[in-house]
Amino acid sequence: MPFIHVELVEGRSDEAKQKIAKDIIESVHKNANAPKKHIHVIFQDMKKTDYIHED
């Protein structure tokens, strides 16, 4: 039962997350031979102020 955790900076729509999850589930199903119904994608939204990136 794969659990995939995805951390994103806040601001993605529910629709965008659904599309991302669908692609992830398809990839895990294809490459790990896991049944799609057993694959779980968990999103964690981070505040923009919690993410620091130096250019």
Side-chain angles (χ1 to χ4, degrees):
M1 199 181 306
F3 287 85
I4 297 91
H5 295 261
V6 179
E7 294 181 49
L8 294 169
V9 175
E10 64 187 350
R12 300 324 190 285
S13 68
D14 290 342
E15 182 180 343
K17 290 179 188 177
Q18 287 291 329
K19 290 178 182 179
I20 292 166
K22 182 179 178 184
D23 287 347
I24 290 169
I25 290 168
E26 188 62 39
S27 180
V28 172
H29 169 69
K30 177 182 172 185
N31 295 295
N33 200 30
K36 290 180 182 181
K37 67 180 182 179
H38 291 191
I39 301 168
H40 305 277
V41 180
I42 300 139
F43 288 95
Q44 180 177 352
D45 288 336
M46 298 180 295
K47 294 179 187 177
K48 291 179 181 180
T49 56
D50 291 341
Y51 176 79
I52 300 168
H53 177 11
E54 190 172 321
D55 290 330

